[in-house]
Amino acid sequence: MFRIDQRNSTPIYQQLVQEVKEAILKGLLRPSERLPSVRELAVQLTINPNTIQKSYQELERQGIIENLQGKGTFVAEHYRPTKDRERLSILKDDLRRILVDAHYLGLNEDELLRMVEQLLTELKMGEDNR
Amino acid sequence: MFRIDQRNSTPIYQQLVQEVKEAILKGLLRPSERLPSVRELAVQLTINPNTIQKSYQELERQGIIENLQGKGTFVAEHYRPTKDRERLSILKDDLRRILVDAHYLGLNEDELLRMVEQLLTELKMGEDNR
Amino acid sequence: MFRIDQRNSTPIYQQLVQEVKEAILKGLLRPSERLPSVRELAVQLTINPNTIQKSYQELERQGIIENLQGKGTFVAEHYRPTKDRERLSILKDDLRRILVDAHYLGLNEDELLRMVEQLLTELKMGEDNR
Amino acid sequence: MFRIDQRNSTPIYQQLVQEVKEAILKGLLRPSERLPSVRELAVQLTINPNTIQKSYQELERQGIIENLQGKGTFVAEHYRPTKDRERLSILKDDLRRILVDAHYLGLNEDELLRMVEQLLTELKMGEDNR
DNA sequence: GTGGTCTAGACCACA
DNA sequence: GTGGTCTAGACCACG
């Protein structure tokens, strides 16, 4: 269900956060749908349960998933984007960094924009999924 | 000359690498121009010299600056983009991550593309500056 | 009759205890009045009967409701406040925590006191209801 | 420096978060002042470093403390209250719960308000501390 | 020396 | 069965 690369240097728990967000965006996970339990997923991905838990807590903090006591973890029914200024500013900085790197890797403006478009399509953004 | 934010969680040495790359892109630093010495910059930015050193080494590894023994560090005269497949793939992953985050922050496709355009203009990319 | 929020992280049984206490305070439930049976309430609130049971037990322990074998559960006729020192001390700690949090949320002393007054009015405290 | 009660059922990491917030409020910790390192505090309080870390991360998330890479953890220079509506609503619910409990413990409105006033004085709120 | 991540394993509250 | 907390101990990146 989720792809985790143990050799990737980005923390596993962040990779999982990202994977869940993408899965929801792509419609693979739907609002109110149940996520695998911490233990289940730990077994599936051969990752420590604590690591899974950290991911779930982060996703809950962002309002993307919800925990029902003793029943499990679910995709939030109504996700409300935050428009958090601070996080938007960080995002913009990250984007700037990427554009700079892209230039030094030899990508020109057109190639870059095409890459963006392709990724947006892949993620089915602009569609009705949450 | 370079903006470093100690509170930012991205490593200081990476921030500096980024700042130098941007400065060159914007034409603030021109090919063959001399960079501040490690010690100078360490004093200016009140940062550990080892950290500056690490940034310069990274930039040299990427072929963006060159060290002339005993003379100082200079912006490379002729930078050749690498087209490094591995790094391109990482860049794409980073970009995907950002697009997903943007969505969860409430940005739609249009707003995103406009942000990209704005940043590209800011960086004067598309022009002849290295 | 009682509002339960499954997404709220405070245990459901505690939420219910709270709701019952408030209902009595507001006069919605009067001394000697019968409470819904465990099963009834479990169906109404779509909650596990064991959870309801736990709430009722807690309320009985506090002397707020009484169980008459085979007849049902009733609001106690004469509630005598306990003046339990231990619980008073815990309450004070909880209150301190809230005041601190309020400060960090940007509330000043006036706004806080006004909030307290408002809540007291809402709860009709200061009146003769139990 | 910080009082932790291992027997208290509220999680240790939350107790510590609370203690730090209070210490700042009371002026025992001043903006820009360095907090004990995770390891130091772990030894002092005979608590696992991971637990301390969890507290520090929560405080950082709330913008109350800041981490400077490799240099340690510091009280934020300029704390900006969030006015987070959701958290305010939770706070109000907590406050309501306490008022109800206070009533059932036999406190009347006057006694309650006096307790609030006393706590506010203890915390030196209303003064110039941050 | 600083914090950040991860694992292994344990215990507990809740439903 | 569910997630939440805590410990012990290890490794790593950063400055």
Side-chain angles (χ1 to χ4, degrees), chain A residues 30-49:
Chain A
R30 298 224 148 258
S32 295
E33 191 171 344
R34 192 173 180 279
L35 290 163
S37 83
V38 169
R39 289 168 171 83
E40 265 180 280
L41 203 47
V43 172
Q44 267 184 43
L45 304 176
T46 60
I47 284 175
N48 189 291

Side-chain angles (χ1 to χ4, degrees), chain D residues 8-25:
Chain D
N8 189 326
S9 69
T10 65
I12 294 175
Y13 84 95
Q14 279 180 23
Q15 290 184 45
L16 183 52
V17 164
Q18 192 58 18
E19 286 291 309
V20 172
K21 282 176 161 181
E22 284 191 31
I24 295 173
L25 208 49

Side-chain angles (χ1 to χ4, degrees), chain C residues 30-64:
Chain C
R30 300 225 148 253
S32 297
E33 191 171 346
R34 192 173 180 278
L35 289 164
S37 78
V38 169
R39 288 181 203 164
E40 267 179 281
L41 207 45
V43 173
Q44 262 185 47
L45 304 176
T46 60
I47 283 176
N48 191 309
N50 293 334
T51 306
I52 311 282
Q53 184 67 22
K54 195 166 178 179
S55 305
Y56 278 15
Q57 281 172 354
E58 173 63 18
L59 285 162
E60 194 167 7
R61 213 185 51 69
Q62 291 184 25
I64 292 171

